[in-house]
């Protein structure tokens, strides 16, 4: 799926009056690309994903999905929120099939795909376990499989690793990167972690402090084709890191 943000503007009403959250945000994501959005807390990253997912309406501008303006929520988008939000009383199987249950489409093709995903990503023997019996990293993989279960063309990940400790985070981001690549999805990752953005994506979009606006776009050409782990060891990694860090440090 392709995404095009075209001059997105978002104003919220607050007790102190109008709050401009996003200003003239324009960039696009081509089919199969993995794009990260970094920016300081409160700069409008989640708002931008919500607009893309059709959960918020922009005050100005528009978002195109495969060239067609977004007008409401769609099941073509899989949204993986910040916390894994697995239901503690449902088994892993019950959790990963939830989306299909809601969409009333538990057909054999869909169920087969879920079995495959669980198998491929090391969770099939935990189908009958409850989330509390799994490690943080496994729960995160389970949340991703739940998001992939409905076979969305576009994945949105909003700070998906922030609840994990550093070591787990490295492993899980490697896993998730592999899964997204293998499944051939277009993905947008929102994070305030520069290293995470550089290690996982094809391109990093830097947003300024509120009102969020595109400050820079880094194509990360020299890291293409490398795994997150290999990227972290690459000399160019630190140069990208410093460039982006300076852009964020200097504010709006
Ligand atoms: P980020 O995800 O980058 O931390 P958000 O998109 O959550 O930022 O929020 C951007 C700004 O918009 C913040 O100042 C936040 O307080 C404000 N905001 C977000 N949602 C609402 C809302 N529903 N009503 C009023 N203000 C909001
Ligand atoms: Mg947010």
């Amino acid at each position: 799926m392709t995404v095009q943000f075209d001059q997105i503007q978002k104003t919220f009403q607050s007790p102190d009056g109008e709050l401009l959250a996003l200003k003239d945000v324009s960039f696009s994501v081509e089919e199969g690309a993995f794009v990260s959005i970094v920016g300081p807390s409160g700069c409008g990253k989640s708002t931008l994903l919500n607009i893309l997912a059709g959960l918020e309406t922009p005050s100005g501008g528009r978002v195109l999905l495969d060239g067609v303006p977004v007008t409401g929520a769609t099941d073509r988008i899989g949204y993986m929120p910040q916390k894994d939000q697995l239901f503690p009383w449902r088994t892993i199987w019950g959790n990963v099939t939830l989306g299909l249950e809601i969409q009333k489409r538990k057909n054999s093709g869909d169920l087969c795909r879920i079995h495959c995903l669980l198998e491929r990503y090391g969770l099939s023997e935990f189908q009958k376990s409850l989330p509390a019996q799994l490690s943080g990293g496994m729960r995160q993989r389970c949340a991703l499989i739940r998001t992939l279960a409905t076979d969305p063309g576009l994945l949105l990940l909003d700070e998906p690793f922030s609840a994990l400790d550093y070591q787990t985070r490295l492993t899980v981001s490697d896993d998730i990167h592999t899964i997204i690549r293998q499944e051939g999805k277009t993905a947008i990752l929102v994070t305030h972690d520069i290293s995470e953005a550089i290690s996982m994506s094809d391109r990093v979009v830097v947003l300024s402090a509120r009102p969020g606006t595109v400050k820079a776009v880094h194509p990360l050409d020299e890291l293409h084709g490398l795994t997150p782990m290999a990227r972290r060891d690459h000399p160019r990694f630190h140069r990208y890191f410093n460039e982006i860090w300076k852009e964020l440090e200097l504010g709006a």
Side-chain angles (χ1 to χ4, degrees), residues 31-236:
E31 177 75 41
F34 192 141
V35 171
S36 290
I37 302 173
V38 296
S41 178
C43 76
K45 302 183 292 301
S46 297
T47 304
L48 198 58
L49 288 194
N50 289 339
I51 291 172
L52 170 55
L55 306 173
E56 297 262 18
T57 34
S59 319
R62 57 189 192 153
V63 190
L64 306 177
L65 267 185
D66 282 341
V68 180
V70 171
T71 50
T74 157
D75 56 20
R76 295 162 71 210
I77 294 182
Y79 203 160
M80 186 163 148
Q82 193 155 347
K83 274 196 67 205
D84 63 40
Q85 287 177 6
L86 299 175
F87 289 106
W89 61 87
R90 281 189 158 228
T91 61
I92 294 311
W93 178 256
N95 268 291
V96 293
T97 53
L98 183 68
L100 295 175
E101 208 170 295
I102 294 170
Q103 291 181 16
K104 296 193 172 31
R105 47 174 266 205
K106 263 186 169 174
N107 59 51
S108 57
D110 287 323
L111 294 178
C112 195
R113 187 175 50 254
I114 297 185
H115 275 299
C116 267
L117 289 167
L118 289 169
E119 177 80 29
R120 203 178 306 156
Y121 303 116
L123 289 172
S124 49
E125 55 206 271
F126 298 94
Q127 284 180 42
K128 293 189 180 132
S129 309
L130 292 170
Q133 296 170 281
L134 270 59
S135 68
M138 288 164 94
R139 280 203 297 275
Q140 214 63 20
R141 266 185 277 149
C142 177
L144 182 64
I145 291 173
R146 179 174 63 184
T147 312
L148 291 170
T150 54
D151 203 19
L154 173 66
L155 282 174
L156 307 182
L157 306 127
D158 194 354
E159 312 220 11
F161 313 120
S162 50
L164 304 173
D165 63 75
Y166 183 67
Q167 212 55 44
T168 311
R169 206 178 163 122
L170 290 185
T171 323
V172 175
S173 56
D174 218 36
D175 282 352
I176 298 227
H177 177 266
T178 309
I179 298 174
I180 291 173
R181 287 288 183 220
Q182 283 183 0
E183 304 303 320
K185 302 293 182 189
T186 307
I188 301 181
L189 168 77
V190 154
T191 178
H192 58 260
D193 184 328
I194 304 173
S195 304
E196 196 165 282
I198 303 172
S199 67
M200 291 186 77
S201 43
D202 299 317
R203 193 173 336 131
V204 178
V205 175
V206 182
L207 292 187
S208 67
R210 205 184 72 221
T213 185
V214 177
K215 204 157 181 217
V217 177
H218 296 262
L220 308 181
D221 288 334
E222 293 163 65
L223 300 175
H224 283 180
L226 299 176
T227 64
M229 293 290 189
R231 287 179 180 209
R232 287 175 193 268
D233 287 334
H234 196 282
R236 190 65 179 95

